[in-house]
């Protein structure tokens, strides 16, 4: 599967639609699609529980690229800023972004 972005790194959103985002991540290549595999493998995170719930109820979610960059540090910064732009508790993220 080709990369979703023209740049090396990107920040992506998983959601039912633009108003119902449940996860914000930073990645490259096909990283956004790896979450479905994690859910199938019964990884015990809230994000995976949401994906399993959607599947059981015959619903799908989409991937949207929010930011693109060739600078990984900048990608982490955009991830953190995007996560903190949502109300506390509204996302399934375990952490609030930048980890370095």
């Amino acid at each position: 599967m080709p990369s979703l972005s023209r740049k090396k790194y990107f920040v992506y959103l998983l959601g039912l639609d633009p108003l119902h985002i449940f996860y914000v991540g930073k990645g490259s290549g096909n990283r956004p699609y790896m979450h479905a595999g994690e859910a199938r493998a019964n990884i015990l995170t809230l994000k995976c529980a949401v994906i399993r719930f959607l599947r059981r109820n015959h619903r799908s979610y989409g991937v949207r690229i929010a930011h693109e960059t060739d600078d990984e540090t900048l990608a982490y910064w955009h991830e953190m800023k995007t996560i903190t732009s949502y109300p506390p508790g509204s996302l399934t993220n375990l952490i609030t972004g930048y980890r370095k």
Side-chain angles (χ1 to χ4, degrees), residues 3-62:
S3 176
L4 297 170
S5 172
R6 292 177 303 276
K7 304 283 185 172
K8 185 168 182 176
Y9 303 101
F10 52 85
V11 174
Y12 61 94
L13 313 173
L14 301 182
L16 299 173
D17 58 52
L19 298 177
H20 297 96
I21 301 301
F22 63 87
Y23 184 80
V24 174
K26 172 252 169 209
S28 61
N30 67 352
R31 174 64 183 133
Y33 299 106
M34 293 176 171
H35 300 295
E38 294 169 2
R40 281 190 300 276
N42 288 320
I43 302 295
L44 299 177
T45 63
L46 183 55
K47 169 193 65 190
C48 289
V50 168
I51 292 169
R52 285 189 292 271
F53 173 83
L54 292 171
R55 283 204 171 139
R56 277 193 310 273
N57 290 283
H58 309 287
R59 303 214 34 213
S60 61
Y61 62 93

Side-chain angles (χ1 to χ4, degrees), residues 2 6-7 9-10 13 20 36-37 43 47 52 67 69-71 76 81-82 85 90 98:
R6 292 177 303 276
K7 304 283 185 172
Y9 303 101
F10 52 85
L13 313 173
H20 297 96
I43 302 295
K47 169 193 65 190
R52 285 189 292 271
H67 301 284
T69 182
D70 287 319
D71 182 324
Y76 277 119
K81 293 307 268 182
T82 304
S85 73
S90 66
Y98 191 72

Side-chain angles (χ1 to χ4, degrees), residues 2 16 25 28-29 32 43 63-64 67-68 72 74 84-85 89 93 97:
L16 299 173
S28 61
I43 302 295
V63 175
R64 188 176 68 144
H67 301 284
E68 299 177 274
E72 187 173 26
L74 187 57
T84 58
S85 73
N93 290 67

